[in-house]
Amino acid sequence: MPDVVVIGAGVVGAACAYYAARAGLDVVVVDRGPVAGGTTGAGEGNVLVSDKEPGPELDLALLSNGLWRELAELDGFEFEAKGGLVVAETGEVLEALTGLAGKQGVEHTVVPSGGLGDYEPHLAGGFAGGVFYPQDAQVQPMLAAATLIRRGADRFGRGTLMLRTGVTVAGFLRDGDRIGGVTTDHGDILAGAVVNAAGTWGGEVAAMAGVHVPVLPRRGFILVTEPFDEPLIRHKVYTAAYVTNVASDSEGLETSAVVEGTPSGPVLIGASRERVGFDRTVSVPVLERLARQAVELFPALADRRAIRAYCGFRPYCPDHLPVIGEDPRAPGLHHACGHEGAGIGLAPATGHLIAQTLAGHRPDLDLTPFRPDRFEERR
């Protein structure tokens, strides 16, 4: 009987398992698919502070940023501390960006129009300026999830980690009102606690326990170019519209240019957002818009071919905050889901905080803003 069952082998579930095992707990991770087979495998690997409004999510992002840098010292992570450059089309937008950076209280440098070329020599002209965030980074998400699980399987004190893929959770076991494990298509697993790290499907898992957690899918596409022999783009580069889109509640299509290189040579181009359920239909108009916006940032991309495109589903919550912590409506059930497009960046902090609560310790951050039952009063 393990101490903890983690539902979901994406990067958030992997981080929860890693830190729980590190805290000395015996952990079993279950997933109906492979490691990183859902949203994690369709992500760019953003580790950002630049797109966060001041408040609890930024606090979570700063904690996670530090933890990612600690993890990056271990073998098995493809982590790039590249920094992020947010560019503004007009002086008014630059003023707004500068104001946001001041409120965030994080490391940043305001870059005048004439200085943008020092950061990105191939950037198009005509931008009013930008803000550079040295703490922004990128991690290869599938490799990160796999490495967290592999390293979590190494012993930390008495803690162990076991991975079981191809196992579908069908319900929960109860000891009175308390969650005491899960039922699966491969048998029951008794446990002292269960962590719902099912990402976009976190709401469905919560419903099995009879609790409401409004996680909805928000589709996004990524274009991948053929490799460049020499790096074209030094940092993560995006327009100010990306910050607005991240905070938007719109169900309709929104796109904003986000462009970055990779160690292997291809350039990743995003980002789109739309709530269309779990529809995986490739939208050529969306891909055309992403390509056009990327070329407006980096004209040299016009001469390169896109070799593939893929989509994923961000786990969207109505208030744009993840759900983290034990559910008072179902004691023994802990949630770690609803991170929308920030799950990869926020995974280590989420796992660290969940592990602290599982071990009976006071978490390093106040989890009240992320409490699972906060949506009840809005129903």
Side-chain angles (χ1 to χ4, degrees), residues 246-267:
V246 167
S248 170
D249 296 320
S250 173
E251 294 186 16
L253 174 66
E254 295 176 329
T255 64
S256 51
V258 181
V259 186
E260 63 188 313
T262 63
S264 55
V267 170

Side-chain angles (χ1 to χ4, degrees), residues 334-349:
H334 299 249
H335 298 284
C337 56
H339 296 75
E340 199 170 334
I344 293 163
L346 300 180

Side-chain angles (χ1 to χ4, degrees), residues 6-337:
V6 177
I7 304 171
V11 70
V12 173
C16 290
Y18 170 84
Y19 284 103
R22 186 172 174 176
L25 302 176
D26 294 325
V27 186
V28 173
V29 179
V30 297
D31 198 300
R32 63 188 178 187
V35 173
T39 298
T40 295
E44 291 177 84
N46 292 339
V47 181
L48 303 182
V49 298
S50 55
D51 63 340
K52 308 293 188 296
E53 295 280 349
E57 189 182 26
L58 179 58
D59 295 338
L60 190 66
L62 289 169
L63 173 62
S64 211
N65 197 283
L67 291 172
W68 266 126
R69 292 170 192 276
E70 291 178 9
L71 291 168
E73 296 177 3
L74 306 174
D75 291 334
F77 293 96
E78 187 180 285
F79 181 87
E80 295 181 90
K82 59 172 61 176
L85 180 65
V86 190
V87 297
E89 296 88 340
T90 67
E92 183 180 5
V93 173
L94 179 61
E95 184 178 353
L97 278 180
T98 305
L100 173 62
K103 292 176 184 177
Q104 289 169 320
V106 300
E107 297 178 49
H108 69 276
T109 301
V110 178
V111 184
S113 177
L116 291 173
D118 296 333
Y119 287 86
E120 293 290 346
H122 299 284
L123 186 70
F127 289 101
V131 178
F132 178 70
Y133 289 84
Q135 290 166 285
D136 281 358
Q138 182 183 14
V139 66
Q140 213 295 334
M142 291 177 284
L143 181 61
T147 300
L148 284 167
I149 289 176
R150 177 172 58 83
R151 287 197 165 271
D154 299 335
R155 286 187 176 272
F156 293 102
R158 71 175 183 88
T160 60
L161 192 158
M162 178 183 293
L163 171 67
R164 295 183 61 187
T165 55
V167 175
T168 300
V169 172
F172 289 92
L173 301 170
R174 292 183 182 269
D175 182 6
D177 292 334
R178 185 174 183 83
I179 298 293
V182 295
T183 63
T184 81
D185 59 350
H186 284 64
D188 296 345
I189 306 175
L190 295 170
V194 177
V195 177
N196 171 18
T200 311
W201 297 270
E204 296 177 13
V205 170
M208 294 181 191
V211 295
H212 175 66
V213 176
V215 180
L216 300 171
R218 203 176 186 190
R219 186 176 71 180
F221 286 97
I222 294 176
L223 271 175
V224 184
T225 74
E226 60 186 341
F228 282 78
D229 295 330
E230 297 292 334
L232 176 74
I233 303 164
R234 298 176 176 179
H235 310 92
K236 179 179 289 289
V237 183
Y238 62 87
T239 59
Y242 177 77
V243 180
T244 303
N245 289 355
V246 167
S248 170
D249 296 320
S250 173
E251 294 186 16
L253 174 66
E254 295 176 329
T255 64
S256 51
V258 181
V259 186
E260 63 188 313
T262 63
S264 55
V267 170
L268 304 181
I269 298 170
S272 67
R273 281 174 163 78
E274 54 187 332
R275 282 171 35 206
V276 292
F278 286 101
D279 183 0
R280 288 187 175 274
T281 305
V282 174
S283 173
V284 174
V286 173
L287 299 181
E288 287 177 341
R289 187 187 296 190
L290 292 176
R292 183 172 62 254
Q293 291 176 332
V295 170
E296 289 171 356
L297 269 182
F298 291 94
L301 288 172
D303 298 327
R304 291 284 170 158
R305 293 174 296 181
I307 57 174
R308 67 186 181 99
Y310 57 94
C311 78
F313 300 101
R314 301 176 182 88
Y316 164 88
C317 273
D319 61 0
H320 300 285
L321 290 178
V323 181
I324 305 172
E326 187 171 15
D327 197 320
R329 303 163 297 179
L333 175 61
H334 299 249
H335 298 284
C337 56

Side-chain angles (χ1 to χ4, degrees), residues 345-359:
L346 300 180
T350 300
H352 172 69
L353 296 168
I354 286 288
Q356 288 182 314
T357 61
L358 289 168

